Amino acid sequence: MIRPTFVGAIDQGTTSSRFLIFNQRGEVVATHQLEFAQHYPHPGWHEHDPEELVSSVETCVDGAVVEFEKQGHNREQIVAVGITNQRETTVVWDKTTGKALHNAIVWTDARSQELVRKLKHRIGASELISRCGLPLSTYPSVSKLLWLLENVTEVKEAYERGTLAFGTVDSWLTYKLNGGTARNIHVTDPSNASRTMFMNLESLKYDADLIDWFRLDRSKINLPNIVPSSDTEAYGSLATTSLKGTKITGCLGDQSAALVGQKGFTAGLAKNTYGTGCFLLYNVGPKPVISTHGLLTTVAFDFGEGKRMYALEGSIAVAGSSVKFLVDNFGFIESSSKLSALAEEVEDNGGCTFVTAFSGLFAPYWFDDARGTIFGITAYTQRGHIARATLEATCFQTQAILRAMEKDSGKPLTELLVDGGMCNSDLIMQTQSDFTGIKVNRPGMRETTALGAAIAAGLAVGVWNSFEDLENVNNEGRTFFKPQISEQEASKKFARWEKAVQMSKGWLNDE
Ligand SMILES: Nc1ncnc2c1ncn2[C@@H]1O[C@H](COP(=O)(O)OP(=O)(O)O)[C@@H](O)[C@H]1O
Ligand SMILES: O=P(O)(O)OC[C@H](O)CO
């Protein structure tokens, strides 16, 4: 009897780590998830403990394997593992000891604000985007690395010695899960490398001019080798956990993975993932398109010649984290899943608009001096109004991104594929459809990010041989949300949002 094969996916997100085991139909057969600590040492700072990221992943792998074997399967049926991860988050370690030299600086972290402002005055600053797809901001990894080099003695010393290793979370996990110094596997894929500002979007190689522009000495810093997102050798194999020996054959930044998991393989398809942040990726085809309206350009995935795609990206820094904020900081609700119920206690936002600019506003605004602001509070305001204004903030930013995307691509989008924690709320998805005036298409199986990583890994080892093999994967249980308000009403609401955005700008100017 031929035993079925399975693929594992490590999903290391901003709020939690997970390991999921998929069958060939793309169904989840076993899973384990673990939240880990968020560190906010100062306003605007956000860190993770790199060792905890690794141990949480290891615990998830072991937990899911136990569940898998309880079902009568054998761990050897898991033929490959893919990794997907929060992007930009920066880890530095010493390549001789394998020890992290600082906490990971998370993608949301705004501590490099001053440094970035100075860089913006350097000649050539405005041209960087045409080479690497990203504008200067606190968001990409480079600003975090430069801050570490300026402020942390151990990092500076390792740089001077030539032993400093830099990586995004995919590189760090691959390095550690391969056993660290024992194998010294230091790699990344183009979808992750395109978040650093070091990679040339056309060549998918490090760009010496970019590295020089940041005044970094390439000979003193160990950058991960950029290899395809799907590869049978480069990522090594698991040396720890109960899946010892299983090959890692896929790697994608989480937003790219979600696009792959939604089967957004062709130009014109777009997905929006409502996780801690919210990220809209629009597949623009095999050539990069540089935005002139506040969007980013990123490598969508690189599955080899003819299967390499780029995306325009609209990044929203705060989405699910605003819901978590109502839970953790204000105790408005006991858990995120209760947000919709609270919002449904009232009919509308009661005149409140919440600009959730906790660390400035990302696309398409890029205001680093804005901070979270609630407008329109009166004696009438109830908790339900704030809940509604909170969920609307993500939907309005998505609306702003779609408008920018239409201008850049020249084509209006007709359907938005959605996933991520917040998409579990019907109210949020209906609001999104109302605001944007387009159909929202939500899959039944919403672990699309992990599925994307599994697809990247599975394509390398022949679990699937082509995109056509995935035709029947994840089609079931879809829900469609269609606009229920007029275009005129949506525009009126949006104008109010834009006014609030402009009024939140400049809050930090005098600091
Ligand atoms: N039903 C829900 N309604 C609103 N927000 C939700 C709901 N379920 C989860 N969330 C939010 O989604 C986020 C988690 O989504 P997830 O996709 O797991 O994120 P990540 O990949 O960033 O770790 C949390 O910030 C949580 O507040
Ligand atoms: O953790 P998420 O899902 O919000 O994704 C984080 C992004 O990759 C940051 O760019």
Side-chain angles (χ1 to χ4, degrees):
M1 190 182 82
I2 301 172
R3 289 191 311 171
T5 53
F6 299 85
V7 186
I10 291 167
D11 179 358
Q12 203 306 295
T14 313
T15 313
S16 70
S17 299
R18 305 166 211 199
F19 186 68
L20 296 95
I21 302 167
F22 290 92
N23 64 20
Q24 261 179 299
R25 291 187 301 278
E27 295 157 343
V28 180
V29 294
T31 174
H32 197 88
Q33 180 170 359
L34 207 60
E35 284 207 7
F36 50 84
Q38 306 292 326
H39 302 281
Y40 301 103
H42 299 286
W45 292 33
H46 188 182
E47 298 179 358
H48 290 154
D49 173 354
E51 297 299 338
E52 196 185 357
L53 296 183
V54 177
S55 63
S56 67
V57 164
E58 290 172 337
T59 307
C60 290
V61 172
D62 291 341
V65 169
V66 168
E67 192 190 317
F68 180 71
E69 294 200 321
K70 268 193 202 149
Q71 296 171 29
H73 306 298
N74 186 306
R75 65 189 71 179
E76 266 129 47
Q77 289 172 268
I78 304 169
V79 292
V81 165
I83 293 182
T84 181
N85 54 287
Q86 49 170 323
R87 307 164 304 163
E88 299 92 18
T89 299
T90 296
V91 189
V92 282
W93 65 96
D94 190 301
K95 74 166 189 176
T96 54
T97 63
K99 293 257 183 302
L101 296 168
H102 193 269
N103 264 350
I105 302 189
V106 180
W107 59 275
T108 48
D109 190 292
R111 78 184 67 184
S112 60
Q113 197 172 323
E114 270 320 300
L115 185 154
V116 168
R117 281 190 188 170
K118 282 186 203 140
L119 285 180
K120 281 184 178 166
H121 290 113
R122 203 177 275 174
I123 295 168
S126 59
E127 284 138 47
L128 299 173
I129 189 168
S130 60
R131 273 184 192 243
C132 66
L134 309 181
L136 267 178
S137 79
T138 58
Y139 181 37
S141 311
V142 66
S143 57
K144 301 164 199 312
L145 177 64
L146 292 176
W147 185 93
L148 287 162
L149 282 165
E150 271 185 20
N151 295 281
V152 182
T153 312
E154 292 82 349
V155 178
K156 222 180 309 175
E157 286 173 356
Y159 177 73
E160 291 307 334
R161 281 196 306 271
T163 61
L164 180 68
F166 155 89
T168 41
V169 170
D170 55 312
S171 294
W172 170 244
L173 286 179
T174 310
Y175 174 74
K176 292 294 278 186
L177 296 173
N178 266 286
T181 48
R183 291 192 194 146
N184 208 11
I185 292 192
H186 191 193
V187 289
T188 191
D189 94 300
S191 70
N192 277 297
S194 60
R195 318 304 295 179
T196 58
M197 289 192 91
F198 295 142
M199 192 188 76
N200 185 297
L201 266 186
E202 302 270 352
S203 68
L204 305 192
K205 292 194 166 57
Y206 290 115
D207 185 320
D209 292 341
L210 285 171
I211 294 172
D212 281 354
W213 192 89
F214 288 109
R215 299 190 184 149
L216 286 167
D217 182 345
R218 180 73 177 87
S219 68
K220 288 184 176 168
I221 187 158
N222 298 278
L223 298 174
N225 284 333
I226 305 173
V227 296
S229 314
S230 193
D231 192 288
T232 46
E233 298 304 326
Y235 296 101
S237 60
L238 298 176
T240 62
T241 81
S242 50
L243 284 186
K244 222 172 189 169
T246 309
K247 276 190 164 185
I248 305 168
T249 59
C251 177
L252 286 166
D254 57 5
Q255 303 310 322
S256 283
L259 184 69
V260 169
Q262 291 272 18
K263 299 189 286 183
F265 299 127
T266 47
L269 291 173
K271 70 88 210 177
N272 204 20
T273 301
Y274 301 77
T276 306
C278 181
F279 301 87
L280 202 158
L281 262 67
Y282 178 90
N283 185 328
V284 292
K287 292 258 167 277
V289 173
I290 302 297
S291 172
T292 48
H293 297 91
L295 304 175
L296 312 179
T297 309
T298 200
V299 174
F301 49 83
D302 174 18
F303 295 148
E305 217 39 59
K307 287 194 226 128
R308 179 179 303 134
M309 290 289 184
Y310 292 86
L312 271 174
E313 170 173 328
S315 329
I316 300 170
V318 172
S321 50
S322 62
V323 182
K324 232 175 146 337
F325 166 78
L326 296 187
V327 179
D328 297 343
N329 298 31
F330 284 172
F332 264 29
I333 33 176
E334 306 150 30
S335 69
S336 301
S337 59
K338 302 270 163 61
L339 178 82
S340 303
L342 176 61
E344 272 161 349
E345 284 177 9
V346 291
E347 265 181 23
D348 54 25
N349 63 23
C352 291
T353 302
F354 187 1
V355 182
T356 47
F358 298 163
S359 46
L361 281 174
F362 284 8
Y365 309 107
W366 300 106
F367 296 161
D368 64 1
D369 54 6
R371 282 298 176 269
T373 319
I374 305 180
F375 294 93
I377 294 185
T378 64
Y380 169 79
T381 307
Q382 299 292 320
R383 291 180 319 145
H385 297 125
I386 304 291
R388 236 173 223 272
T390 305
L391 68 87
E392 287 181 354
T394 301
C395 299
F396 279 129
Q397 286 173 85
T398 298
Q399 193 176 354
I401 285 165
L402 274 177
R403 286 183 175 211
M405 228 156 237
E406 266 179 43
K407 287 182 196 146
D408 277 331
S409 70
K411 276 181 257 154
L413 201 72
T414 52
E415 185 180 72
L416 193 59
L417 301 159
V418 296
D419 48 52
M422 268 179 107
C423 93
N424 288 314
S425 156
D426 285 4
L427 177 67
I428 299 176
M429 293 303 98
Q430 185 56 53
T431 306
Q432 190 64 86
S433 177
D434 288 346
F435 286 5
T436 53
I438 60 172
K439 189 164 73 180
V440 167
N441 175 345
R442 182 177 69 186
M445 199 294 288
R446 300 187 196 146
E447 294 288 359
T448 32
T449 301
L451 177 60
I455 290 174
L459 282 170
V461 295
V463 172
W464 302 285
N465 290 305
S466 64
F467 294 155
E468 288 73 40
D469 279 359
L470 293 153
E471 216 166 297
N472 294 321
V473 164
N474 202 17
N475 296 333
E476 278 152 35
R478 291 201 169 249
T479 314
F480 297 94
F481 299 86
K482 295 194 184 125
Q484 289 177 355
I485 65 171
S486 69
E487 218 179 303
Q488 202 185 10
E489 200 181 332
S491 294
K492 214 165 116 192
K493 287 177 190 289
F494 187 66
R496 203 136 182 86
W497 161 260
E498 288 283 289
K499 181 177 177 191
V501 165
Q502 291 308 324
M503 288 175 73
S504 72
K505 189 172 184 258
W507 177 250
L508 292 189
N509 262 353
D510 49 356
E511 279 192 7

